[in-house]
Structure formats: structure tokens, C-alpha cells
């Protein structure tokens, strides 16, 4: 299930703020065979790789999703 978790992260990274319904529609485009999207999302949220706010999913900017540099205007 680790590969499917990575694929879900990619889907959400490409579609920030997506709902469960939107993510469910997008998984087939990424070749994810597991159609239990709510369970996959729950697992990734539990791993603290995704953040849920107002029923929308966002990728935590860690690992391969982190920024190359701190983008604060005073740096």
C-alpha cells in the first residue's frame, strides 16, 4: 500500500485543496488500482503527509514536496 499512498500524495500535490470526490475522480488517471480512496486518504493523513482542512486535502511540504528554499520575502 506504500506505492498507492505515494500515488495519492502525487494526486493531491497536483490538485491542492481537492475533496474526496475530486480525488476519487482523479485516481484512475494515475493508475491507482485501489478504489478505496477514503481509506487511502485516512492512512496518509495518519502518517501526517496530508492535512485536512474544511473537507479538503493538502500535501504537507515535506520530503519530495518541500520547497527548495524558504520563500519569505525577507530572506
Amino acid at each position: 500500500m506504500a506505492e498507492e499512498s505515494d500515488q495519492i500524495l502525487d494526486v493531491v500535490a497536483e490538485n491542492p485543496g481537492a475533496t474526496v470526490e475530486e480525488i476519487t475522480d482523479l485516481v484512475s488517471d494515475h493508475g491507482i488500482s485501489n478504489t478505496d480512496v477514503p481509506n487511502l486518504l485516512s492512512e496518509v493523513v495518519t502518517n501526517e503527509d496530508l492535512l485536512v482542512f474544511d473537507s479538503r486535502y493538502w500535501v504537507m511540504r515535506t520530503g519530495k514536496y518541500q520547497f527548495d528554499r524558504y520563500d519569505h520575502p525577507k530572506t
Side-chain angles (χ1 to χ4, degrees):
M1 187 126 49
E3 181 180 336
E4 291 170 335
S5 296
D6 287 343
Q7 291 172 323
I8 285 288
L9 285 172
D10 290 341
V11 170
V12 176
E14 293 171 9
N15 303 280
T19 63
V20 173
E21 294 81 16
E22 293 168 335
I23 295 168
T24 301
D25 291 341
L26 293 166
V27 295
S28 62
D29 297 340
H30 288 267
I32 300 171
S33 59
N34 186 342
T35 57
D36 189 9
V37 172
N39 186 40
L40 286 171
L41 289 170
S42 177
E43 176 186 322
V44 180
V45 168
T46 300
N47 291 342
E48 298 181 351
D49 292 323
L50 284 183
L51 180 77
V52 183
F53 178 74
D54 198 23
S55 300
R56 296 185 176 273
Y57 290 84
W58 308 86
V59 170
M60 299 297 288
R61 295 292 177 185
T62 61
K64 73 178 186 177
Y65 303 105
Q66 69 186 359
F67 293 114
D68 291 6
R69 50 173 254 205
Y70 187 66
D71 62 348
H72 191 276
K74 295 193 179 207
T75 58

